[in-house]
Amino acid sequence: MEITKKLSELVYSSYPLKDKRALEMAKLGVIDYLASSFAARDDEGVQKLLKLIEEEGGYQNVPIIGQNKKANFLQSALINGFLGHALDYDDVHSDVRGHPSTVILPALLSLSSCENVSGARFLSAYVIGVEVMARLGQAIGSDHYIKGWHNTATLGTIAASIACGYLKNVSVETFQKVIGFAATQTGGMRAQFGTETKPLHAGFAARNALQALKLAEINFGGTKSALDGDSGFFALYGEDPVPSALLFSRWGEEWKIYSPGLWFKIYPFCSAAHHAADAAVRLSYKNEFRIEDVTNVKISFPKGGDAALVEQNPQTGEQGRFSVEYVVALALHKKALGLENFKNKCIDSSIKTFLPRIERVYREDVVPSPTAVPKGRFTIVEVEANGATFTERVDLPKGAPGNGLTFEELQEKMSSALQDEEKTVKIVDEIQQLERSQTMGKLLDVL
């Protein structure tokens, strides 16, 4: 099978906005991505990257979100990708096992600043990008992530490049080359989780996606079958050169952006800890125990359910984004699970001394709920205090598909990030009517 060619043909002939569910979810996704980016506008890493691109110089025509500055389209994609993912506050997709929007949207925003494209085409390209990224995630299987690859970066580069090609309506042959240039630039190690480089992976992927499109457009030499065969993407990054049938099956019947759908976060940390966060918050507000009486806390997962939570003894709030122990300790102490407690500063001493009381447990006897998100996932938090045990289980955390955020809740997320109600309303209104806009100019102007 000519995998690269078939994927290119399917993308080229797709019209996702015929499905109103895809349209509405795409607009919510743009709101969430921008809210997450505005929330990170003062992040230290952003300032470092701004200094770097100032030293590089270059033509300034693409807005950098929340900075009142512009840069060239590659530089802006890099920083806007980082911004969206800097706080781990951005959306997740369970089929991707990663973060689609913070790669796809920065690349599309850069391209839209340089091209005359409609809002409808922009939203269509976004839906296509999510579709490809989710299907790549399903097709490559779980071993890719378990080996140590960061799916946001590896799958995102290809997906964003295809989204950009769709935005510009390139030919099937050009699509094949775009995929090749993107695939050869994929990378990103989970070893970087808990550092500034983790969100930088999203920026690299967005930038490299644009570079892939430009190389194809100038007819630079490259393969048209990068996904195929024993030396293709699936063979190198997965276990099998022949990807799962999920890569192509039922294409266009239900778009991945809404089925199973994007997960919009209410907490600024890794989604793998959101189940435990909800459980611990419930326990803490039932007031059945005093925190000083707690002797032990058990957090139970299915095997591999905590793979992304690489920090068990975090020293900073930034590391705490990937520590279920830190998240649960905060919640049990009735401390806010908000941005302030996940910054790159030393964690509170009371939390630090509590962490040794928390242990992770892996249980094979627990039957996952059929509505669990991600599929097969659960988290059980058990608190022992004064000889009694208090338990909460969560299979479907707040924000996940099936328990998602409403439009009003996403608007509030934007408002909280901006601290400017007038600007919030303006941005959200522009997004809500984006499919009727002949250009992207008005939205780009308010970033």
Side-chain angles (χ1 to χ4, degrees):
M1 182 184 295
E2 294 178 285
I3 299 166
T4 315
K5 183 179 180 182
K6 183 171 182 179
L7 180 59
S8 299
E9 290 172 341
L10 285 171
V11 169
Y12 182 80
S13 59
S14 294
Y15 300 96
L17 293 200
K18 289 181 178 179
D19 188 330
K20 296 303 180 185
R21 294 168 295 181
L23 169 63
E24 292 308 312
M25 185 59 77
K27 290 190 286 190
L28 294 181
V30 177
I31 293 171
D32 185 78
Y33 162 73
L34 291 179
S36 301
S37 300
F38 281 119
R41 62 189 178 277
D42 296 324
D43 185 83
E44 291 180 10
V46 177
Q47 303 312 310
K48 295 172 187 177
L49 292 174
L50 286 172
K51 183 177 179 182
L52 182 65
I53 67 166
E54 285 172 7
E55 292 174 357
E56 288 179 355
Y59 188 61
Q60 300 176 347
N61 61 334
V62 180
I64 302 172
I65 297 168
Q67 304 300 315
N68 294 316
K69 294 181 180 180
K70 292 185 178 182
N72 71 42
F73 83 120
L74 292 178
Q75 293 168 337
S76 291
L78 176 73
I79 299 184
N80 287 336
F82 177 87
L83 269 163
H85 198 37
L87 304 179
D88 229 279
Y89 204 17
D90 53 310
D91 65 42
V92 177
H93 196 291
S94 58
D95 289 344
V96 172
R97 204 170 184 175
H99 306 259
S101 299
T102 194
V103 179
I104 297 163
L105 288 174
L108 291 175
L109 287 170
S110 278
L111 200 56
S112 297
S113 296
C114 306
E115 305 283 343
N116 185 23
V117 297
S118 69
R121 191 69 185 182
F122 175 88
L123 292 170
S124 296
Y126 175 33
V127 175
I128 291 293
V130 174
E131 186 74 15
V132 171
M133 198 166 172
R135 286 176 177 269
L136 288 174
Q138 288 183 305
I140 206 163
S142 60
D143 283 344
H144 181 70
Y145 187 88
I146 292 168
K147 280 181 178 179
W149 293 111
H150 183 193
N151 292 21
T152 300
T154 54
L155 310 181
T157 306
I158 298 173
S161 74
I162 290 175
C164 289
Y166 186 89
L167 188 73
K168 292 201 67 178
N169 196 29
V170 303
S171 67
V172 169
E173 185 175 2
T174 302
F175 262 127
Q176 292 174 253
K177 293 192 73 174
V178 168
I179 293 169
F181 291 125
T184 206
Q185 296 180 86
T186 55
M189 301 166 61
R190 284 202 296 117
Q192 295 285 4
F193 281 21
T195 76
E196 286 179 332
T197 299
K198 198 253 189 180
L200 186 60
H201 287 166
F204 284 154
R207 182 194 64 188
N208 292 346
L210 289 169
Q211 191 72 73
L213 175 64
K214 290 301 180 181
L215 287 168
E217 287 184 324
I218 64 171
N219 198 29
F220 203 83
T223 183
K224 291 190 289 185
S225 55
L227 305 182
D228 307 359
D230 292 337
S231 58
F233 178 80
F234 290 101
L236 286 172
Y237 288 84
E239 289 292 315
D240 194 331
V242 180
S244 162
L246 294 170
L247 183 61
F248 298 130
S249 64
R250 301 181 62 201
W251 181 279
E253 292 182 22
E254 285 188 326
W255 296 99
K256 298 292 186 182
I257 199 166
Y258 69 79
S259 178
L262 295 173
W263 172 343
F264 301 125
K265 292 184 178 183
I266 61 170
Y267 305 125
F269 49 77
C270 180
S271 61
H274 281 222
H275 304 69
D278 283 358
V281 168
R282 291 177 196 171
L283 285 168
S284 69
Y285 281 96
K286 286 183 177 179
N287 291 313
E288 295 177 319
F289 56 84
R290 297 188 310 163
I291 193 66
E292 54 266 33
D293 294 331
V294 174
T295 55
N296 182 253
V297 180
K298 289 182 181 179
I299 308 172
S300 298
F301 297 93
K303 185 179 180 181
D306 64 335
L309 301 171
V310 295
E311 299 285 352
Q312 295 194 36
N313 187 31
Q315 302 303 304
T316 67
E318 182 179 50
Q319 293 174 348
R321 296 172 193 161
F322 304 93
S323 171
V324 71
E325 292 81 6
Y326 179 64
V327 167
V328 167
L330 283 175
L332 293 180
H333 280 77
K334 292 186 170 65
K335 292 184 180 291
L337 297 181
L339 296 170
E340 187 60 33
N341 281 321
F342 292 89
K343 292 183 177 180
N344 187 21
K345 62 181 183 180
C346 292
I347 66 175
D348 185 270
S349 59
S350 64
I351 301 298
K352 191 169 185 178
T353 57
F354 189 84
L355 292 179
R357 304 183 203 181
I358 304 175
E359 62 176 316
R360 302 188 194 191
V361 177
Y362 306 96
R363 295 181 56 178
E364 296 182 359
D365 61 311
V366 176
V367 178
S369 166
T371 61
V373 176
K375 186 178 180 181
R377 195 74 59 85
F378 62 83
T379 305
I380 302 169
V381 178
E382 301 171 86
V383 176
E384 296 178 13
N386 290 327
T389 301
F390 307 92
T391 304
E392 282 287 342
R393 169 177 170 169
V394 173
D395 297 85
L396 184 63
K398 179 65 175 175
N403 191 18
L405 302 188
T406 64
F407 168 78
E408 289 75 19
E409 287 171 323
L410 279 171
Q411 185 165 357
E412 175 55 33
K413 183 174 178 177
M414 177 77 80
S415 178
S416 177
L418 279 171
Q419 295 294 303
D420 183 335
E421 195 59 34
E422 184 179 348
K423 188 169 184 178
T424 295
V425 171
K426 188 172 184 179
I427 291 173
V428 171
D429 283 350
E430 286 297 335
I431 294 168
Q432 283 295 87
Q433 57 186 335
L434 199 55
E435 77 274 21
R436 299 188 294 275
S437 300
Q438 293 304 305
T439 73
M440 291 290 293
K442 289 183 178 180
L443 180 59
L444 291 166
D445 285 345
V446 293
L447 299 184

